[in-house]
Amino acid sequence: MRWQGRRRSDNVVDRRGIRRRGLAIGGGLGGLGGVVVLILYLLLGGNPSEVTQTFQANEPGPSTEVGEALSDKDKEMGDFVSVVLADIEDVWRAQFRKLGKEYREPRLVLFADQADSACGYSSAAVGPFYCPEDENVYLDLSFFEDMQRELDAPGDFALAYVIAHEVGHHVQNLLGVNDQVMSLQGRLSERESNQLMVRMELQADFLAGLWAHYAQLETDFLDSADIEEGINAAGAVGDDRIMRQTQGDVVPDAFTHGTSEQRVRWFKKGLNTGDIRQGDTFNATRL
Ligand SMILES: [Zn+2]
């Protein structure tokens, strides 16, 4: 990716130098906020039971914040993230204008150890997520390093894809998709609810692909090798592959993100069409 020297977003909040020290007191689930983040659980390749444990284990306790200096590599990663976010902002601002709507930019919080979001506390172990309550994307870059190592999804565009996917959830929030999904959730069985989540996740992949379409078209920001990387990343974080790596078995009813093949297909659909009307995963007969 040709990212050096490009505009940086003002919406990156870098909290990586702040590490919480102190007691974490165990308690119940993190209230409604925890439930919201669980339902709208938007991480790439996470396991909802881990999230529940996170909320149980990481109720905030008395703590002090300790500042730590960032390495040059950390700083470079931060710069890269803010360039990617700026490009995503440009694309979505234009897309919303086309729809006669105004785009409200999300903030992107970089964190280490623990994220303190309006959706509750979560540890880095849960991966990146979007919190609709505060409209922030939370990203621990160590997740990205893990993703590169364990899922064999190398390269900088893989990280850009993760950011674009999470911002895709913000776009869903602004367009009212989240509210509709939330209002349905309570009436569905666990299996049906998981299927609905798959459609929501695949739509976020479609929206990430849509961003890549315009980033490539208008800015010469990406080349075809980058796009390949994005497709690899989407394939690497399919529920089927992650389950096979972590459990050995694939249990389709428990899928909440879609299979690798589905994720790649919707990412490509956004990438190839650049047409937001093609992204209705909720009414699609084939996922
Ligand atoms: Zn997601």
Coordinates of all heavy atoms in Angstrom, one line a residue, residues 47-117:
N47 N -14.7 -15.7 19.8 CA -15.7 -16.7 20.3 C -16.5 -16.1 21.3 O -16.0 -15.6 22.3 CB -14.8 -17.8 20.8 CG -15.6 -18.9 21.6 OD1 -16.8 -18.7 21.8 ND2 -15.0 -19.9 21.9
P48 N -17.8 -16.0 21.1 CA -18.7 -15.3 22.1 C -18.5 -15.7 23.5 O -18.6 -14.9 24.5 CB -20.1 -15.5 21.6 CG -19.9 -15.8 20.2 CD -18.6 -16.5 20.0
S49 N -18.2 -17.0 23.8 CA -18.0 -17.4 25.2 C -16.8 -16.8 25.8 O -16.8 -16.5 27.0 CB -18.0 -18.9 25.3 OG -16.8 -19.4 24.7
E50 N -15.8 -16.5 25.0 CA -14.7 -15.8 25.6 C -15.0 -14.4 26.0 O -14.5 -13.8 27.0 CB -13.6 -15.6 24.5 CG -12.8 -16.9 24.2 CD -11.9 -16.7 23.0 OE1 -11.7 -15.5 22.6 OE2 -11.4 -17.7 22.5
V51 N -16.0 -13.8 25.2 CA -16.4 -12.4 25.6 C -17.1 -12.4 26.9 O -16.8 -11.5 27.7 CB -17.3 -11.8 24.5 CG1 -17.6 -10.4 24.8 CG2 -16.7 -12.0 23.1
T52 N -17.9 -13.3 27.1 CA -18.7 -13.4 28.3 C -17.7 -13.5 29.5 O -17.8 -12.8 30.5 CB -19.6 -14.6 28.3 OG1 -20.3 -14.6 27.1 CG2 -20.6 -14.6 29.5
Q53 N -16.7 -14.4 29.3 CA -15.7 -14.5 30.4 C -15.0 -13.2 30.6 O -14.7 -12.9 31.7 CB -14.7 -15.6 30.0 CG -15.3 -17.0 30.1 CD -14.5 -18.0 29.3 OE1 -13.4 -17.7 28.8 NE2 -15.0 -19.2 29.2
T54 N -14.7 -12.5 29.5 CA -14.0 -11.3 29.7 C -14.7 -10.3 30.5 O -14.2 -9.7 31.4 CB -13.7 -10.7 28.3 OG1 -13.0 -11.6 27.5 CG2 -13.0 -9.4 28.4
F55 N -16.0 -10.3 30.3 CA -16.8 -9.3 31.0 C -17.0 -9.7 32.5 O -17.1 -8.9 33.4 CB -18.2 -9.1 30.4 CG -18.1 -8.1 29.2 CD1 -18.1 -8.6 27.9 CD2 -17.9 -6.8 29.5 CE1 -18.0 -7.7 26.9 CE2 -17.8 -5.9 28.4 CZ -17.8 -6.4 27.1
Q56 N -16.9 -11.0 32.7 CA -17.0 -11.5 34.1 C -15.7 -11.2 34.8 O -15.7 -10.8 36.0 CB -17.3 -13.0 34.1 CG -18.8 -13.3 33.8 CD -19.1 -14.7 33.6 OE1 -18.2 -15.5 33.2 NE2 -20.3 -15.1 33.8
A57 N -14.6 -11.4 34.1 CA -13.3 -11.3 34.8 C -12.8 -9.8 34.9 O -12.1 -9.5 35.8 CB -12.3 -12.1 34.0
N58 N -13.3 -9.0 34.0 CA -12.6 -7.7 33.9 C -13.5 -6.5 34.4 O -13.5 -5.5 33.8 CB -12.1 -7.5 32.5 CG -10.9 -8.4 32.2 OD1 -10.2 -8.8 33.1 ND2 -10.7 -8.7 31.0
E59 N -14.3 -6.7 35.3 CA -15.0 -5.6 35.9 C -14.0 -4.6 36.4 O -12.9 -5.0 37.0 CB -15.9 -6.0 37.1 CG -17.2 -6.7 36.7 CD -18.1 -5.7 36.0 OE1 -18.5 -4.7 36.6 OE2 -18.4 -6.0 34.8
P60 N -14.2 -3.3 36.2 CA -13.2 -2.4 36.6 C -13.0 -2.3 38.1 O -14.0 -2.3 38.8 CB -13.7 -1.0 36.0 CG -15.2 -1.2 35.9 CD -15.3 -2.7 35.6
G61 N -11.8 -2.3 38.5 CA -11.5 -2.1 39.9 C -10.7 -0.9 40.1 O -10.4 -0.2 39.1
P62 N -10.2 -0.6 41.3 CA -9.3 0.6 41.5 C -8.1 0.4 40.6 O -7.5 -0.7 40.6 CB -9.0 0.5 43.0 CG -9.8 -0.5 43.6 CD -10.4 -1.4 42.5
S63 N -7.7 1.4 39.9 CA -6.5 1.2 39.1 C -5.8 2.5 38.9 O -6.4 3.6 39.1 CB -6.9 0.6 37.7 OG -7.7 1.5 37.0
T64 N -4.6 2.4 38.6 CA -3.9 3.6 38.2 C -3.4 3.5 36.8 O -3.3 2.4 36.3 CB -2.6 3.8 39.1 OG1 -1.9 2.6 39.1 CG2 -3.0 4.1 40.5
E65 N -3.3 4.6 36.1 CA -2.8 4.5 34.7 C -1.4 4.9 34.7 O -0.9 5.9 35.2 CB -3.7 5.5 33.9 CG -5.1 5.0 33.8 CD -6.0 5.8 32.8 OE1 -5.6 6.9 32.6 OE2 -7.0 5.3 32.4
V66 N -0.6 4.1 34.0 CA 0.8 4.3 33.9 C 1.1 4.5 32.4 O 0.7 3.8 31.5 CB 1.5 3.0 34.3 CG1 3.0 3.2 34.3 CG2 1.1 2.6 35.8
G67 N 1.8 5.6 32.2 CA 2.2 5.9 30.8 C 3.5 5.2 30.4 O 4.4 5.0 31.2
E68 N 3.5 4.7 29.1 CA 4.7 4.0 28.6 C 5.0 4.5 27.3 O 4.1 4.8 26.5 CB 4.4 2.5 28.5 CG 4.6 1.8 29.9 CD 4.3 0.3 29.8 OE1 4.4 -0.3 28.7 OE2 4.0 -0.3 30.8
A69 N 6.3 4.7 27.0 CA 6.7 5.2 25.7 C 6.4 4.1 24.6 O 6.5 3.0 24.8 CB 8.1 5.6 25.7
L70 N 6.1 4.6 23.4 CA 5.8 3.7 22.3 C 7.1 3.6 21.5 O 7.9 4.5 21.3 CB 4.7 4.3 21.3 CG 3.4 4.4 22.0 CD1 2.4 5.1 21.0 CD2 2.8 3.1 22.4
S71 N 7.3 2.4 20.9 CA 8.5 2.2 20.1 C 8.3 2.8 18.7 O 7.1 3.2 18.3 CB 8.7 0.7 19.9 OG 7.7 0.1 19.1
D72 N 9.3 2.9 17.9 CA 9.2 3.5 16.5 C 8.2 2.6 15.7 O 7.5 3.2 14.9 CB 10.5 3.5 15.8 CG 11.4 4.7 16.4 OD1 10.8 5.5 17.2 OD2 12.6 4.7 16.1
K73 N 8.3 1.3 15.9 CA 7.4 0.4 15.1 C 5.9 0.7 15.5 O 5.0 0.7 14.7 CB 7.8 -1.0 15.4 CG 7.0 -2.0 14.5 CD 7.6 -3.4 14.5 CE 6.7 -4.4 13.8 NZ 5.6 -4.9 14.5
D74 N 5.7 0.8 16.8 CA 4.4 1.2 17.3 C 3.9 2.4 16.7 O 2.7 2.6 16.3 CB 4.3 1.3 18.8 CG 4.5 0.0 19.6 OD1 4.3 -1.0 19.0 OD2 5.0 0.0 20.8
K75 N 4.8 3.4 16.7 CA 4.4 4.8 16.1 C 4.0 4.6 14.6 O 3.0 5.2 14.1 CB 5.5 5.8 16.3 CG 5.6 6.3 17.7 CD 6.6 7.3 17.8 CE 7.0 7.5 19.3 NZ 8.4 8.0 19.4
E76 N 4.8 3.8 13.9 CA 4.5 3.6 12.5 C 3.2 3.0 12.3 O 2.4 3.3 11.4 CB 5.7 2.8 11.8 CG 5.6 2.9 10.3 CD 6.6 2.0 9.6 OE1 6.9 1.0 10.2 OE2 6.9 2.4 8.5
M77 N 2.9 2.0 13.1 CA 1.6 1.3 13.0 C 0.5 2.3 13.2 O -0.6 2.3 12.6 CB 1.5 0.2 14.0 CG 2.4 -1.0 13.8 SD 1.7 -2.2 12.6 CE 0.8 -3.3 13.7
G78 N 0.7 3.2 14.2 CA -0.3 4.2 14.5 C -0.6 5.1 13.4 O -1.7 5.5 13.0
D79 N 0.5 5.5 12.7 CA 0.4 6.4 11.5 C -0.3 5.7 10.4 O -1.2 6.3 9.7 CB 1.8 6.8 11.0 CG 2.6 7.7 11.9 OD1 1.9 8.4 12.8 OD2 3.8 7.9 11.8
F80 N 0.0 4.4 10.2 CA -0.7 3.7 9.2 C -2.2 3.6 9.4 O -3.0 3.8 8.5 CB -0.1 2.2 9.1 CG -0.8 1.3 8.1 CD1 -0.6 1.5 6.8 CD2 -1.7 0.4 8.6 CE1 -1.3 0.6 5.9 CE2 -2.4 -0.5 7.7 CZ -2.2 -0.3 6.4
V81 N -2.5 3.3 10.7 CA -4.0 3.2 11.0 C -4.6 4.6 10.7 O -5.8 4.6 10.2 CB -4.1 2.8 12.5 CG1 -5.5 3.0 13.0 CG2 -3.7 1.4 12.7
S82 N -4.0 5.7 11.1 CA -4.7 7.0 10.9 C -4.8 7.3 9.4 O -5.8 8.0 9.0 CB -4.1 8.1 11.7 OG -2.8 8.3 11.3
V83 N -3.9 6.9 8.6 CA -4.0 7.1 7.1 C -5.1 6.3 6.5 O -5.9 6.8 5.8 CB -2.6 6.8 6.4 CG1 -2.8 6.7 4.9 CG2 -1.6 7.8 6.8
V84 N -5.2 5.0 7.0 CA -6.3 4.2 6.5 C -7.6 4.7 6.9 O -8.6 4.8 6.1 CB -6.1 2.7 7.0 CG1 -7.3 1.9 6.7 CG2 -4.9 2.1 6.4
L85 N -7.7 5.2 8.2 CA -9.0 5.7 8.7 C -9.4 7.0 7.9 O -10.6 7.1 7.5 CB -8.9 6.0 10.2 CG -10.2 6.4 10.8 CD1 -11.3 5.3 10.7 CD2 -10.0 6.8 12.3
A86 N -8.4 7.8 7.6 CA -8.7 9.0 6.8 C -9.3 8.7 5.4 O -10.3 9.3 5.0 CB -7.4 9.9 6.6
D87 N -8.7 7.7 4.8 CA -9.2 7.2 3.5 C -10.6 6.7 3.6 O -11.5 7.0 2.8 CB -8.3 6.2 2.9 CG -8.5 6.1 1.4 OD1 -8.0 6.9 0.7 OD2 -9.3 5.1 1.0
I88 N -10.9 5.9 4.7 CA -12.2 5.3 4.9 C -13.2 6.5 5.1 O -14.3 6.4 4.6 CB -12.2 4.4 6.1 CG1 -11.3 3.1 5.7 CG2 -13.6 3.9 6.5 CD1 -11.1 2.2 6.9
E89 N -12.8 7.5 5.9 CA -13.7 8.7 6.1 C -14.1 9.3 4.8 O -15.3 9.7 4.6 CB -13.0 9.7 7.0 CG -12.9 9.3 8.4 CD -11.8 10.1 9.2 OE1 -11.1 11.0 8.6 OE2 -11.7 9.9 10.4
D90 N -13.1 9.5 3.9 CA -13.4 10.2 2.6 C -14.4 9.4 1.8 O -15.3 10.0 1.2 CB -12.1 10.3 1.8 CG -11.1 11.3 2.5 OD1 -11.5 12.1 3.3 OD2 -9.9 11.3 2.1
V91 N -14.2 8.1 1.8 CA -15.1 7.2 1.0 C -16.5 7.3 1.6 O -17.5 7.5 0.8 CB -14.5 5.8 0.9 CG1 -15.6 4.8 0.4 CG2 -13.3 5.7 0.0
W92 N -16.6 7.1 2.9 CA -18.0 7.1 3.4 C -18.7 8.4 3.4 O -19.9 8.5 3.3 CB -18.0 6.4 4.8 CG -17.8 4.9 4.7 CD1 -16.8 4.2 5.1 CD2 -18.7 4.0 4.0 NE1 -17.0 2.8 4.8 CE2 -18.2 2.7 4.1 CE3 -19.9 4.2 3.3 CZ2 -18.8 1.6 3.5 CZ3 -20.6 3.1 2.8 CH2 -20.0 1.8 2.9
R93 N -17.9 9.5 3.5 CA -18.5 10.8 3.4 C -19.2 10.9 2.1 O -20.3 11.4 1.9 CB -17.5 11.9 3.7 CG -18.1 13.1 4.5 CD -17.0 14.2 4.7 NE -16.0 13.8 5.6 CZ -14.7 13.7 5.4 NH1 -14.3 14.0 4.1 NH2 -13.8 13.3 6.3
A94 N -18.4 10.6 1.0 CA -19.0 10.7 -0.3 C -20.2 9.7 -0.5 O -21.2 10.1 -1.2 CB -17.9 10.3 -1.3
Q95 N -20.1 8.5 0.0 CA -21.2 7.5 -0.2 C -22.5 8.0 0.5 O -23.5 7.9 0.0 CB -20.8 6.2 0.4 CG -19.8 5.4 -0.4 CD -20.3 5.0 -1.8 OE1 -21.4 4.4 -1.9 NE2 -19.6 5.4 -2.8
F96 N -22.3 8.6 1.7 CA -23.5 9.1 2.5 C -24.1 10.3 1.7 O -25.3 10.5 1.7 CB -23.1 9.4 3.9 CG -23.3 8.3 4.8 CD1 -22.5 7.1 4.7 CD2 -24.2 8.3 5.9 CE1 -22.6 6.0 5.5 CE2 -24.3 7.2 6.8 CZ -23.5 6.1 6.6
R97 N -23.2 11.1 1.2 CA -23.7 12.3 0.4 C -24.6 11.8 -0.7 O -25.7 12.3 -1.0 CB -22.5 13.1 -0.1 CG -22.9 14.6 -0.3 CD -21.7 15.4 -0.7 NE -20.6 15.4 0.2 CZ -19.3 15.0 -0.1 NH1 -19.0 14.7 -1.3 NH2 -18.4 15.0 0.8
K98 N -24.1 10.7 -1.4 CA -24.9 10.2 -2.5 C -26.3 9.7 -2.0 O -27.3 9.7 -2.8 CB -24.2 9.0 -3.1 CG -23.3 9.3 -4.3 CD -23.1 8.0 -5.1 CE -21.6 7.7 -5.1 NZ -21.3 6.4 -5.7
L99 N -26.3 9.2 -0.8 CA -27.6 8.7 -0.2 C -28.4 9.8 0.4 O -29.5 9.6 1.0 CB -27.3 7.7 0.9 CG -26.6 6.4 0.5 CD1 -26.2 5.6 1.7 CD2 -27.6 5.5 -0.4
G100 N -27.9 11.1 0.3 CA -28.6 12.2 0.9 C -28.5 12.2 2.4 O -29.4 12.8 3.1
K101 N -27.5 11.6 3.0 CA -27.3 11.5 4.4 C -26.0 12.1 4.8 O -25.1 12.3 3.9 CB -27.4 10.1 4.9 CG -28.7 9.4 4.7 CD -28.6 7.9 5.2 CE -29.8 7.1 4.8 NZ -31.0 7.4 5.6
E102 N -25.8 12.4 6.1 CA -24.5 12.9 6.5 C -23.8 11.9 7.3 O -24.4 11.2 8.1 CB -24.8 14.2 7.4 CG -23.5 15.0 7.5 CD -23.7 16.2 8.5 OE1 -24.8 16.7 8.6 OE2 -22.7 16.6 9.1
Y103 N -22.5 11.7 7.0 CA -21.7 10.7 7.6 C -21.1 11.3 8.9 O -20.5 12.3 8.9 CB -20.6 10.3 6.7 CG -19.7 9.2 7.3 CD1 -20.2 8.0 7.6 CD2 -18.3 9.4 7.5 CE1 -19.4 7.0 8.1 CE2 -17.5 8.4 8.0 CZ -18.1 7.2 8.3 OH -17.2 6.2 8.8
R104 N -21.3 10.6 10.0 CA -20.7 11.0 11.3 C -19.5 10.1 11.5 O -19.6 8.8 11.5 CB -21.7 10.7 12.4 CG -21.5 11.5 13.7 CD -22.7 11.6 14.5 NE -23.3 10.3 14.9 CZ -24.6 10.0 14.7 NH1 -25.4 10.8 14.1 NH2 -25.0 8.8 15.0
E105 N -18.3 10.7 11.6 CA -17.1 9.9 11.7 C -17.0 9.2 13.0 O -17.1 9.8 14.1 CB -15.9 10.8 11.4 CG -15.9 11.4 10.0 CD -14.8 12.5 9.9 OE1 -14.2 12.9 10.9 OE2 -14.7 13.0 8.7
P106 N -16.6 7.9 13.0 CA -16.3 7.3 14.3 C -14.9 7.6 14.7 O -14.1 8.0 13.9 CB -16.4 5.8 13.9 CG -16.0 5.7 12.5 CD -16.4 7.0 11.9
R107 N -14.7 7.4 16.0 CA -13.3 7.5 16.5 C -12.7 6.1 16.5 O -13.4 5.1 16.6 CB -13.2 8.1 17.9 CG -13.4 9.6 17.8 CD -13.2 10.2 19.1 NE -14.1 9.6 20.1 CZ -14.0 9.8 21.4 NH1 -13.2 10.6 21.9 NH2 -14.9 9.2 22.2
L108 N -11.4 6.0 16.4 CA -10.8 4.7 16.5 C -9.8 4.7 17.7 O -8.9 5.6 17.7 CB -10.0 4.4 15.2 CG -9.5 3.0 15.0 CD1 -9.4 2.6 13.5 CD2 -8.1 2.9 15.7
V109 N -10.0 3.9 18.6 CA -9.2 3.9 19.8 C -8.2 2.7 19.8 O -8.6 1.6 19.6 CB -10.1 3.7 21.1 CG1 -9.3 3.7 22.4 CG2 -11.2 4.8 21.2
L110 N -7.0 3.1 19.8 CA -5.9 2.1 19.8 C -5.6 1.8 21.3 O -5.5 2.8 22.1 CB -4.6 2.6 19.2 CG -4.7 2.8 17.7 CD1 -3.4 3.4 17.2 CD2 -4.9 1.4 17.0
F111 N -5.6 0.5 21.7 CA -5.4 0.3 23.1 C -4.4 -0.9 23.3 O -4.2 -1.7 22.4 CB -6.7 0.0 23.8 CG -7.4 -1.3 23.5 CD1 -7.3 -2.4 24.3 CD2 -8.2 -1.4 22.3 CE1 -7.9 -3.6 24.0 CE2 -8.8 -2.6 22.0 CZ -8.7 -3.7 22.8
A112 N -3.9 -1.0 24.5 CA -3.1 -2.1 24.9 C -3.8 -2.7 26.2 O -4.3 -1.9 27.0 CB -1.7 -1.7 25.2
D113 N -3.8 -3.9 26.4 CA -4.3 -4.6 27.6 C -5.8 -4.5 27.7 O -6.5 -5.5 27.5 CB -3.7 -4.0 28.9 CG -2.3 -4.3 29.0 OD1 -1.8 -5.1 28.2 OD2 -1.7 -3.7 29.9
Q114 N -6.4 -3.4 27.9 CA -7.8 -3.3 28.2 C -8.4 -2.1 27.5 O -7.8 -1.0 27.6 CB -8.0 -3.1 29.7 CG -8.2 -4.4 30.4 CD -8.8 -4.2 31.8 OE1 -9.0 -3.1 32.3 NE2 -9.0 -5.3 32.5
A115 N -9.6 -2.2 27.0 CA -10.3 -1.1 26.4 C -11.5 -0.7 27.3 O -12.2 -1.6 27.8 CB -10.9 -1.4 25.0
D116 N -11.6 0.5 27.6 CA -12.6 1.0 28.5 C -13.7 1.7 27.6 O -13.5 2.9 27.2 CB -12.0 2.0 29.5 CG -12.9 2.7 30.3 OD1 -14.1 2.4 30.3 OD2 -12.5 3.6 31.1
S117 N -14.7 1.0 27.2 CA -15.6 1.5 26.2 C -17.0 1.7 26.9 O -17.2 1.1 27.9 CB -15.8 0.5 25.0 OG -16.6 -0.5 25.3

